[in-house]
Amino acid sequence: LVPAFMTTAGLRPRQAFGYWFIGGLAYNLVMYWWIYNVMKVGPALIVGGGLVLLILFLSLFNGVIGLGFKLSLRHPMLMITFPLAWAGLEVMRAVGEMSFPWNNFGYALGHHLSLIQSASLFGIYGLSALIVANNLLFFQAWRTKSNRMLWLLIGIALPLVMFLHGRMVLKHDSSNA
């Protein structure tokens, strides 16, 4: 996310929404093209049109995230809450008639047994917030001259603490088996 944050920092709010929306279109198209093959249960135009609508719908969330990030740059307190807002958008995307609970950022840790153990403390949405927060720490290190080393150290410490916690949980569980 750091390169996206760096780029977004120089944009106007409307541009931030647009860039993130377009990025979301590309991302969602790559991630969900296969749905067309699975859903061949009707006329191709209707199935394809439904997939296009789904991709547009999911890309709106990306646009809102980009706009939210740009607006959060205006006030430090908003920047602190941005990872929670990101996770909140993931929650919103996962409920209701149009729910789509796949591809949350927290799932990226699924192949890292030690890191995923933090899900027992924070849940999948908490892991998403932690990933976004960690990216914000590195963005802050890039963005500011003062306290750069502090931002970098915290950015390194966060996943390290998650890893150590996970190792302790796994060691404890294996000793009880």
Side-chain angles (χ1 to χ4, degrees):
L1 289 175
V2 175
F5 289 161
M6 291 165 56
T7 302
T8 306
L11 300 174
R12 291 187 304 273
R14 178 181 241 164
Q15 290 175 311
F17 177 88
Y19 278 51
W20 281 72
F21 179 80
I22 297 295
L25 283 175
Y27 172 80
N28 290 312
L29 183 61
V30 169
M31 291 304 296
Y32 303 119
W33 65 270
W34 58 269
I35 291 175
Y36 178 80
N37 293 324
V38 175
M39 298 301 295
K40 285 186 186 174
V41 294
L45 186 60
I46 292 174
V47 173
L51 180 58
V52 167
L53 290 175
L54 174 67
I55 289 171
L56 289 170
F57 172 72
L58 294 174
S59 299
L60 285 173
F61 287 92
N62 297 89
V64 169
I65 285 170
L67 177 61
F69 174 74
K70 178 60 183 175
L71 296 176
S72 75
L73 291 173
R74 296 180 179 173
H75 194 278
M77 198 54 156
L78 292 175
M79 182 67 79
I80 292 169
T81 61
F82 179 72
L84 298 175
W86 184 299
L89 276 174
E90 287 186 353
V91 170
M92 286 177 55
R93 195 179 64 204
V95 296
E97 293 297 319
M98 296 289 294
S99 67
F100 205 85
W102 296 283
N103 272 344
N104 295 331
F105 258 34
Y107 294 147
L109 303 180
H111 294 292
H112 305 282
L113 196 55
S114 294
L115 292 175
I116 199 72
Q117 299 306 307
S118 294
S120 65
L121 302 173
F122 306 112
I124 192 64
Y125 302 113
L127 291 182
S128 294
L130 288 171
I131 292 170
V132 173
N134 202 59
N135 278 267
L136 280 176
L137 291 167
F138 287 111
F139 170 73
Q140 278 298 108
W142 168 81
R143 183 177 175 212
T144 61
K145 302 269 188 276
S146 64
N147 298 326
R148 178 171 285 164
M149 192 53 89
L150 177 64
W151 294 116
L152 287 172
L153 288 173
I154 297 170
I156 293 167
L158 181 61
L160 183 60
V161 167
M162 289 172 63
F163 177 80
L164 293 173
H165 167 262
R167 297 304 299 166
M168 289 184 340
V169 167
L170 292 170
K171 183 175 179 161
H172 182 264
D173 283 350
S174 67
S175 65
N176 287 336

